[in-house]
Amino acid sequence: MQITQRIDAITGISPEYLQECPPCPRSVKIEISGRCNYACSFCALRTREKQPTSDMDFDLFQAITCEMKFAGVEEVGIFFLGESLTNPQLAIECVKHLKYIGMPYVFLTSNASLATPEVVKSLMASGLDSLKWSVNAADEEQFKEIMGVKPKLFRQALANIKEAKRVRDEGKFTTGLFASSIRYDGAQLVKMEKLLAERILPYVDEHYWLPLYSMAMRSPEIEKKLGYTPMHGNSGRYDPKTGLPTRDPLPCWSLFTEAHVRCDGHMSACCFGSDEKFDVGDLTSDTFMNAWHGERMRKARRAQIRTMTEGPDALKGTFCEVCVAY
């Protein structure tokens, strides 16, 4: 199955999931590290008043993922907002554990700058099913402006992406290699397409485009810095044939079909849930399914379902309004 098919299977809300208390989500993303060596201006990580300095406790990771497997989760991503490879050994151990308990599909998205050949080989040997690179700058100047860090990391990321394919092919590993990029417009899109053709596409199995996401409260800040207007809500990837998002942002799939857990063990309502404002449960003291079916999630889902007849105004008074009710 292609990665875009997997993404569409999660972002498309089938009727049995479009309800106040949907079944156990097929997919969960877990932030094993809240730290990141980039400072991307568009990332929800930047909305945190205090950036995390620690990683998820491995005992907690083992406990909650065993519970998730028993509940029916089929896919676990060992990332959420932070860069998981700031702690490569933890990432490797997490993959080993997930495959040991029989998790069918384990995936990771990384900025690639810390994905050395040695780390990639260990991840692949541990059973990682999918490794996706996030590539969002066309050259060193843009990288410095957008990611907010030194250009040497841009060069390192590109080198690691190339090496990862060599490691996979030489080791005959089955890990899929993928990449995604924010689809800007105009001259920036042309620059990105050139970079992708020369430095990314030869070394991945599939690439896809994403909108420039943002919570509405940060839109003016991001537009001023980057010159692009972020898309509100979460509409999934772009369709390469039409150049349009694959789905409408409302109702938001993220509350119905995929769970998100921060490094402190708190479950967030959605993929933009960077801090306690979006908390719907604490997995250090409550069960995964109790949080998934908790009152805060049910209230948000009721509002999301009402958007089908009332529009974004239905989200007033919920944490979702900072994202799309603008």
Side-chain angles (χ1 to χ4, degrees):
M1 182 185 296
Q2 293 181 314
I3 190 172
T4 49
Q5 291 175 310
R6 286 189 175 275
I7 291 168
D8 293 347
I10 298 300
T11 60
I13 312 174
S14 56
E16 67 266 31
Y17 282 91
L18 190 61
Q19 56 179 295
E20 183 179 324
C21 285
C24 172
R26 288 181 51 239
S27 179
V28 179
K29 290 176 182 172
I30 303 175
E31 184 181 55
I32 65 171
S33 177
R35 298 177 290 144
C36 188
N37 61 333
Y38 283 14
C40 301
S41 53
F42 54 80
C43 183
L45 198 66
R46 304 274 73 81
T47 66
R48 289 175 171 167
E49 293 183 6
K50 184 178 181 181
Q51 297 299 309
T53 57
S54 59
D55 305 322
M56 177 172 277
D57 178 77
F58 186 55
D59 288 341
L60 174 62
F61 180 86
Q62 290 176 300
I64 63 175
T65 50
C66 285
E67 184 182 350
M68 291 169 184
K69 176 66 169 59
F70 180 79
V73 171
E74 300 173 7
E75 303 179 5
V76 170
I78 55 167
F79 71 100
F80 177 17
L81 295 177
E83 168 55 55
S84 298
L85 297 187
T86 55
N87 190 336
Q89 192 55 45
L90 177 60
I92 293 165
E93 292 304 316
C94 287
V95 174
K96 288 180 180 179
H97 164 73
L98 288 167
K99 300 315 278 187
Y100 175 76
I101 65 173
M103 188 61 65
Y105 191 77
V106 181
F107 59 107
L108 169 63
T109 291
S110 169
N111 64 35
S113 65
L114 301 173
T116 64
E118 295 76 19
V119 169
V120 167
K121 183 176 182 179
S122 294
L123 286 167
M124 291 180 173
S126 299
L128 186 67
D129 295 289
S130 166
L131 181 54
K132 191 196 79 173
W133 312 117
S134 183
V135 181
N136 295 308
D139 54 40
E140 293 185 12
E141 182 179 351
Q142 289 179 350
F143 181 87
K144 182 178 179 181
E145 175 69 15
I146 296 172
M147 280 70 204
V149 289
K150 294 180 179 179
K152 69 177 183 179
L153 290 177
F154 177 75
R155 298 190 294 271
Q156 187 62 58
L158 293 177
N160 286 341
I161 290 170
K162 180 179 180 179
E163 281 294 286
K165 186 175 187 301
R166 178 190 63 78
V167 168
R168 186 189 66 175
D169 293 350
E170 289 183 359
K172 295 182 171 55
F173 297 115
T174 59
T175 308
L177 290 172
F178 309 104
S180 67
S181 305
I182 292 173
R183 187 179 177 90
Y184 301 100
D185 54 22
Q188 171 63 6
L189 177 59
V190 174
K191 289 182 179 180
M192 281 298 300
E193 288 177 332
K194 183 176 186 297
L195 173 82
L196 292 171
E198 295 175 356
R199 306 295 299 274
I200 305 299
L201 297 184
Y203 309 111
V204 298
D205 304 318
E206 190 178 3
H207 171 273
Y208 62 94
W209 295 100
L210 292 168
L212 175 58
Y213 293 127
S214 171
M215 289 181 287
M217 59 187 179
R218 296 190 63 232
S219 293
E221 168 195 344
I222 292 173
E223 186 170 5
K224 180 179 179 181
K225 185 175 181 62
L226 301 183
Y228 296 93
T229 303
M231 173 176 288
H232 302 293
N234 192 336
S235 59
R237 65 183 182 88
Y238 274 118
D239 184 330
K241 294 180 180 179
T242 65
L244 299 172
T246 53
R247 52 158 291 131
D248 293 330
L250 295 174
C252 180
W253 62 269
S254 192
L255 276 76
F256 294 90
T257 61
E258 184 174 75
H260 304 83
V261 183
R262 295 205 316 271
C263 58
D264 59 6
H266 288 211
M267 185 186 289
S268 293
C270 75
C271 55
F272 296 144
S274 59
D275 56 33
E276 65 277 359
K277 292 191 295 294
F278 303 91
D279 280 1
V280 294
D282 182 354
L283 301 190
T284 66
S285 58
D286 201 359
T287 68
F288 171 65
M289 289 305 293
N290 277 352
W292 181 248
H293 288 155
E295 176 54 32
R296 291 202 81 201
M297 282 293 270
R298 295 201 307 270
K299 178 182 178 181
R301 291 188 188 116
R302 288 194 296 267
Q304 287 284 341
I305 292 170
R306 289 194 349 255
T307 64
M308 297 172 70
T309 55
E310 301 175 27
D313 285 345
L315 302 179
K316 295 293 185 181
T318 72
F319 40 67
C320 295
E321 69 176 319
V322 302
C323 184
V324 293
Y326 53 96

